[in-house]
Amino acid sequence: MAATGDDVPIIQAENLTSNVRSILYSRTFLSITGGVVAGIWGFTGLTGFIFYFLIMMVASLGLLAKSKFSVHTYFDSWSRILVEGVFGGLMVRIIAIPMYYVVYQCSLLNILTIRCYYIYC
């Protein structure tokens, strides 16, 4: 961020674009990871949404800490850190939780069934 003679902050477009892209990538990664974890732990329905929003809140706090709480140095507004990519990641979460929930539960049931079959035969 550069300053002119009137101390008006100027944000370079390339830097802003790169910073926003980093936020989107990190939120997408956390959505996938959080969806997998929520699916394995069996968080579905309202519990899964609460878990997702907790992950996004922690991500926002981490981004704020990474920017040393000086948001206007790296972004043009607070909403870039707080809500940028949250609802886009929600679609990824909606796909990831059921997929991993079914895969994990079915594989766990198959393992238990096979073990029980060999033990009792």
Side-chain angles (χ1 to χ4, degrees):
M1 188 159 128
T4 61
D6 297 331
D7 290 332
V8 176
I10 298 173
I11 300 174
Q12 294 182 0
E14 296 86 17
N15 293 344
L16 178 64
T17 304
S18 175
N19 294 340
V20 170
R21 190 178 312 126
S22 297
I23 288 177
L24 292 175
Y25 289 156
S26 66
R27 288 203 191 271
T28 302
F29 174 75
L30 286 173
S31 296
I32 293 169
T33 306
V36 169
V37 170
I40 289 172
W41 287 348
F43 293 158
T44 57
L46 184 61
T47 310
F49 281 108
I50 291 170
F51 183 72
Y52 172 76
F53 285 113
L54 284 174
I55 288 175
M56 290 299 117
M57 187 171 59
V58 169
S60 294
L61 289 174
L63 289 167
L64 283 171
K66 180 73 175 169
S67 67
K68 298 177 183 144
F69 298 95
S70 177
V71 175
H72 294 290
T73 304
Y74 302 100
F75 302 100
D76 55 350
S77 68
W78 280 87
S79 66
R80 293 282 186 186
I81 287 185
L82 298 179
V83 293
E84 185 79 32
V86 170
F87 297 109
L90 188 60
M91 295 301 125
V92 173
R93 178 244 173 237
I94 288 173
I95 294 170
I97 283 183
M99 183 174 64
Y100 283 98
Y101 179 74
V102 169
V103 168
Y104 178 75
Q105 296 299 327
C106 290
S107 65
L108 182 62
L109 289 174
N110 286 336
I111 291 169
L112 292 176
T113 305
I114 292 169
R115 286 186 183 166
C116 293
Y117 177 76
Y118 286 121
I119 291 173
Y120 293 117
C121 288

